[in-house]
């Protein structure tokens, strides 16, 4: 069955945190959605990830043989999927045990065709995605989303010009601007927490 969500995780010699991230995601997403999520790990480093990450129908490891950087890793991952929803994920994040509906909540926003991207809150980001920001709403329209854990409608990503690997940083802010310019809304889910 074709994946509904492709989680692209660029990594560089960070095996322990990568394994914890994959484990936390895999254990926090309930069926039947769990079998519709595929993980593509882009090995930008020298560590032989294939020794640690067991390939399976749900996980692929791509080792380009050189460091493509964050944006280059995302682009490489996009080449290997046609899933309608793409999650860009850092290798050092964690889904919280017991919060089994977090991905459902994020995906639910895409029932509205004007939504281009959705992001959770966290303890180590700025702006409206910071868990400590005092806000009474569960969902907010925002001007930008931080790319540590960003769920994007593939069609919107393509319409906005895809991932720009020429930038030295700030690619998530740039992508947010391009998505808004393409007519899409950005949603912060303040009821979804990713550590």
């Amino acid at each position: 069955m074709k994946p509904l969500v492709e989680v692209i995780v660029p990594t560089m010699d960070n095996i322990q945190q990568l394994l914890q991230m994959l484990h936390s995601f895999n254990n926090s997403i309930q069926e039947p959605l769990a079998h519709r999520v595929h993980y593509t790990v882009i090995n930008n480093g020298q560590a032989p990830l294939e020794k640690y990450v067991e390939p399976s129908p749900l996980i692929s490891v791509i080792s380009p043989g050189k460091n493509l950087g964050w944006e280059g890793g995302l682009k490489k991952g996009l080449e290997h999927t046609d899933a309608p929803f793409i999650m860009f994920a850092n290798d050092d994040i964690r889904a919280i045990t017991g919060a089994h509906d977090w991905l459902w909540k994020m995906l639910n926003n895409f029932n509205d065709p004007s939504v281009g991207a959705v992001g959770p809150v966290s303890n180590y980001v700025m702006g409206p995605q910071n868990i400590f920001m005092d806000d009474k709403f569960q969902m907010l329209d925002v001007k930008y989303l931080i790319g540590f854990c960003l769920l994007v409608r593939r069609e919107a990503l393509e319409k906005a010009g895809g991932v720009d690997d020429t930038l030295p940083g700030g690619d998530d802010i740039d992508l947010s601007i391009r998505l808004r310019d393409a007519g899409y809304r950005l949603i912060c889910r303040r009821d979804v927490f990713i550590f």
Side-chain angles (χ1 to χ4, degrees), residues 9 19 34 47 50 52 62 65 81 86-87 95 110-111 128 137-138 179:
V9 190
L19 294 176
E50 293 81 356
Y52 303 97
I62 298 170
T81 184
I86 307 296
M87 178 174 283
F110 292 105
N111 290 328
F137 301 106
Q138 289 186 341
L179 285 167

Side-chain angles (χ1 to χ4, degrees), residues 57-170:
L58 300 179
I59 299 177
S60 301
V61 175
I62 298 170
S63 296
K66 63 180 181 176
N67 182 2
L68 301 176
W70 169 257
E71 297 89 352
L74 298 179
K75 283 182 90 167
K76 178 59 82 175
L78 284 167
E79 292 172 8
H80 294 269
T81 184
D82 61 354
F85 300 100
I86 307 296
M87 178 174 283
F88 299 145
N90 286 4
D91 61 2
D92 63 350
I93 61 177
R94 305 287 175 279
I96 303 304
T97 303
H100 297 291
D101 61 348
W102 67 272
L103 186 54
W104 281 116
K105 286 180 179 178
M106 291 177 73
L107 279 169
N108 193 41
N109 289 96
F110 292 105
N111 290 328
D112 179 344
S114 72
V115 173
V118 179
V121 295
S122 190
N123 54 310
Y124 202 67
V125 294
M126 63 181 194
Q129 287 180 268
N130 186 300
I131 190 67
F132 301 110
M133 181 183 171
D134 185 23
D135 203 301
K136 61 184 176 184
F137 301 106
Q138 289 186 341
M139 289 183 287
L140 296 173
D141 277 85
V142 294
K143 293 188 177 197
Y144 62 87
L145 290 167
I146 307 299
F148 72 100
C149 180
L150 178 64
L151 186 61
V152 183
R153 183 189 306 271
R154 186 186 191 106
E155 177 184 316
L157 179 64
E158 290 171 356
K159 191 173 177 183
V163 173
D164 185 351
D165 61 353
T166 66
L167 298 172

